[in-house]
Amino acid sequence: MSQPVMLPQGWEARWDSQANTYIYVDQATGRSQWEVPTQPSYPSSHPSTSPIPPEQSSTPAQGASHHRPGRRQYPTAQIQQMYGGATGYDTQPQQPMAPGYPDQSAHQQQQPQFFTPGLGDQQPAYGQQPAYGAGAPQVGQPSAYGQQQPAGYGGQQPVDQISNQFQQMNMGGYRGGADQKQLHQIQTVNLIGMQPDVAGLDAPPPPYLLPPNAAVTASPHIQPDPSYQRCTLTSMPTTQSLLNKSKLPLALVMAPYRSFRESDGDDPVPVIEDSVIARCRRCRAYINPFVTFIEGGNRWKCCMCGLSNEVPQLFDWNQAESKPADRWARKELNHSVVEFIAPTEYMVRPPQPPVYAFVIDVSSQAVQSGMVAVAARTILESLDNIPNADNRTKIAIIAVSTSLHFFSLPAGATEASMLVVSDLTDVFLPKPVDLLVNLTESRPAIESLLGRLSDMFQESHVVGNALGSALQAAHQLIGKIGGKIVTLTASLPTLGEGALKARDDPKLLGTSKESSLLNAASSFYKTFAIECSKQQVAVDMFLFSTSYTDVATLSCLPRYTAGQTYLYPGFNASRSEDAIKFATEFGKVLAMPMGLEAVIRVRASRGIRMSAFHGNFFIRSTDLLALPVVPTDQNYVIELQLEDDIKGSFVVLQTAILHTTCYGERRIRVITQAMPTTDSVAELYASADQVAIATYLANKAVERSMSHSLDDARSTITNKLGEMLAVYKNQVTSAAGASAQLAVPDNLKLLPLLCCGLVKHVGLREGASIPPDLRAYAQCLLTTLPCQSFVPYIHPRFYSLHNMPAEAGNVGDNGVVLPPALNLTSERLERHGLFLIEDGQNIFLWVGHEAVPRLIQDVFDLPSYGELTGGKSTLPVLDNPFNQRVNNIIAKTRELRRGVYRPHLYIVKSDAEPALRSWALSLLIEDRMDHMSSYAQYLTTVKNKVNGS
Ligand SMILES: [Zn+2]
């Protein structure tokens, strides 16, 4: 969902979490509309330039109610149509709106077409079928499956109806009149006693309110979609002292190489193919929508350093058709995210082919778990999906146990031959050629080897894993070219270089010494990883533990080489669920496009400096991030500082990612983002992005858990939150003395919930029962998941299925309709109900022990609850609508987000399997659990910090 970029004077964008889109409010009249306004607001009664009346005459809820019925859901097409979408935008510049907004009234006339859930649907609500309710033996729940639910649905009263009040803020220094600045409306929400509105988690960040004419074109695409890049603040403070005073973090959160998904409404990245790359001679910024053209358009002034640069000769020339071109149509002046095709001077060496070296553990443990068989079969089945468009891709396979097994795969041969090296201390390659081979030319030998790899080691009873030595061999093999080492290991490396010991002493868990288990046990892996990075080699780690495998140490390899760690605890391929999950995720990793030899650099307007970097990469020089292979959908966080005062009315940040595509093209993906500046603490608070701040805090906390302790890590989050809200209370709301309330700006009203989710997350939470491998893996995900996946990972989704609305689970305009998300509290669980909780990594299907037999029959094809077995499972596909809807929701959940993860499904019986039950319940973070506080208690803790400061 894109956001409004720049509104005409007098208009304000407000997020409507129920309709899941913005509404636009005319600040003078209080009138609201769905369409993006294109004309300034002209108050008819009085031509006052006063920006906002002292008292808002109309709340957003009232404003919105003119335009929509009070139901939750609209067909997407309708929203897109109303909201403008791409087509609406495109036509606007050519068609200035006449006074009176004929377009708008046209839209309003469409109002009666609004879709009302439950009406006109052939499928009756599940809950309306009396059979389910009638069979229920309980007293007091007569219409247990009935439709009296709507009042509940997460207690999502519009925030406006709660206790907030508009506040007339002193915005410091801004005047009305011609130079009046667009400002965010500060709206304070009191959180104590309020149930959080979880639907708001999907809202985009506050809009970037740029001054008029900040951009040279009127394109609606001049700011990046938040899925590419967002900032913790959508306004830039003008001084570091203001930033310090505000206590707000300033950091970019980005996934610059995020994948393209049509189902998410993604537009493909525009590619500039004419090799005309205009860059500033001084700061090297790429030309973008925020530069200005001077001297009759012959020169452009850099928006970052102010230098005047010559416009390249071919900038206005259509080379393909040899005719003049329209400058204003150039993609780099109309789009925030573009990709340039780079000429040879952007290459250190000719483009290298994609290379995959598979290092596969073939110890007895690995073979017996079935990992080797599934891995070999998945590679075999993925040979056509591995990027190999121009037949240059190379492959090597090394099997490792107590010795190294190389495979000679000559071109044209139909069989592979194995060469064994037992010397683990001074690793050498047994053969100069045919170990790293062209995938296309050696395909028969590769296929033959993969077909029998598992059988070759089936009888092996070898215990031991010389992983470090195998990695060194793989590095020798591919180091000259670069590429990816894909490591699959099911046992702790015990031999040769980098041998590790089981150090997971249970006595350390829950103590201050637990953090030692989150740090690497051996320096070998980090040193080796940096060596790999220098030679453009990335490492992906697939770990299959039946016991401790030291994820904390082994994850160093992906961390410094821009790879990723994948963990499959207790993997056993004889369980089809395990095999399917691994094969699906591994297959997606193999099919991922490879961006090779990449570097990321962020440039910014004068005065802004990158001060710290978080994510999987190696910092090659002060601000140059090296990524031998860029993975898709990985997140990075970059902290910013102000070393000089900012003078202009807006600043520009630009991320450039130089990489070689897997088909040998050097490209530069450029993401440009402009932010207005402000000298007001209130405006900074009103522009804060809660999701970006939570992502930043997760990275800081994980770092802290390693350098200090988990206790410190949790305090880092809660103290920071308390500090921020204290500043807000004291300096923005000007409330004096201790308060019984916790006041937050509306745009940060879910930040305490996200922080509560973070401190209770398995990666950070208190407790002596979390296996170190699970903890370390959770930390890998907390610091690499892009926002779209990160938010549900710390704040899971929770649905009630037995009484879901009629449209839920059926296919709507935008795919399968999901039920409304519930608040994460077990108060929502009903003994006769069926619920789903998911965090993007696991799905729990919770079955109440008083569920009626027909429900059990329809969903699980079993006669009664007693017959149902809990645990990892696959739901049968049955010939009844309810089963199909539940299956649809599970399938939709699995494909909901970008990335490779395929969550496991666990059936959780409400009165059985205490461990599984408490795992599922631990996701309901609003509840109190063990010694961890409930959300309400957490708010009190934060409130006390605010009052105490
Ligand atoms: Zn410059």
Side-chain angles (χ1 to χ4, degrees), residues 5-6 89-90 93 215-223 289 333-336:
V5 281
M6 196 165 43
Y89 263 124
D90 287 342
V216 290
T217 56
S219 161
H221 307 294
I222 54 169
Q223 294 279 37
L333 299 182
N334 286 281
H335 291 267
S336 160

Side-chain angles (χ1 to χ4, degrees), residues 279-285 300-307 309:
R279 298 182 68 180
C280 174
R281 278 177 296 126
R282 181 160 60 201
C283 73
R284 308 303 293 145
W300 61 278
K301 195 171 157 206
C302 175
C303 55
M304 300 211 192
C305 73
L307 188 76
N309 294 280

Side-chain angles (χ1 to χ4, degrees), residues 361-374 454-463 490-491 544 546 570-575:
D361 178 0
V362 293
S363 66
S364 165
Q365 211 171 330
V367 174
Q368 296 316 316
S369 75
M371 179 277 278
V372 179
V374 179
S454 179
D455 289 344
M456 288 164 73
F457 298 95
Q458 197 62 46
E459 301 306 315
S460 156
H461 298 289
V462 177
V463 175
S491 55
F544 305 81
T546 42
F571 181 82
N572 183 348
S574 64
R575 247 192 325 255

Side-chain angles (χ1 to χ4, degrees), residues 186-449:
I186 276 263
Q187 195 184 346
T188 297
V189 180
N190 288 317
L191 293 187
I192 303 283
M194 296 298 155
Q195 202 155 45
D197 169 19
V198 295
L201 285 166
D202 295 329
Y208 293 80
L209 301 176
L210 291 173
N213 305 323
V216 290
T217 56
S219 161
H221 307 294
I222 54 169
Q223 294 279 37
D225 188 276
S227 57
Y228 280 114
Q229 182 164 304
R230 60 207 293 172
C231 188
T232 52
L233 304 172
T234 63
S235 300
M236 180 64 73
T238 47
T239 65
Q240 180 69 34
S241 71
L242 173 66
L243 179 62
N244 294 345
K245 194 175 108 183
S246 77
K247 303 287 184 189
L248 287 162
L250 180 58
L252 281 178
V253 173
M254 59 169 84
Y257 208 64
R258 74 122 161 92
S259 58
F260 161 76
R261 287 209 338 167
E262 242 166 300
S263 56
D264 283 7
D266 295 348
D267 294 319
V269 177
V271 179
I272 294 140
E273 298 181 8
D274 63 5
S275 294
V276 177
I277 304 180
R279 298 182 68 180
C280 174
R281 278 177 296 126
R282 181 160 60 201
C283 73
R284 308 303 293 145
Y286 294 82
I287 200 165
N288 60 67
F290 303 100
V291 302
T292 39
F293 289 96
I294 50 175
E295 295 180 25
N298 290 323
R299 303 183 72 81
W300 61 278
K301 195 171 157 206
C302 175
C303 55
M304 300 211 192
C305 73
L307 188 76
S308 157
N309 294 280
E310 217 171 296
V311 172
Q313 273 186 346
L314 295 172
F315 198 68
D316 305 316
W317 186 252
N318 181 337
Q319 294 177 52
E321 297 172 28
S322 290
K323 63 175 192 188
D326 178 9
R327 171 181 298 186
W328 307 111
R330 282 197 73 93
K331 291 164 186 160
E332 61 270 51
L333 299 182
N334 286 281
H335 291 267
S336 160
V337 186
V338 291
E339 224 162 75
F340 293 97
I341 297 178
T344 47
E345 59 258 36
Y346 286 82
M347 297 177 197
V348 179
R349 57 176 177 170
Q352 301 297 306
V355 170
Y356 298 82
F358 295 97
V359 172
I360 305 174
D361 178 0
V362 293
S363 66
S364 165
Q365 211 171 330
V367 174
Q368 296 316 316
S369 75
M371 179 277 278
V372 179
V374 179
R377 197 178 62 231
T378 307
I379 301 171
L380 183 61
E381 288 171 0
S382 299
L383 289 179
D384 286 329
N385 302 331
I386 289 177
N388 187 23
D390 46 6
N391 296 327
R392 297 183 308 140
T393 300
K394 290 178 186 288
I395 279 191
I397 297 170
I398 300 173
V400 56
S401 54
T402 53
S403 47
L404 308 183
H405 309 260
F406 294 86
F407 298 94
S408 174
L409 304 157
T414 52
E415 291 289 327
S417 52
M418 184 163 81
L419 303 104
V420 181
V421 172
S422 305
D423 183 353
L424 302 176
T425 49
D426 194 11
V427 173
F428 64 94
L429 301 178
K431 200 165 177 265
V433 292
D434 294 338
L435 299 179
L436 176 65
V437 297
N438 180 289
L439 168 58
T440 308
E441 290 164 12
S442 295
R443 178 95 178 228
I446 293 169
E447 286 184 357
S448 151
L449 170 62

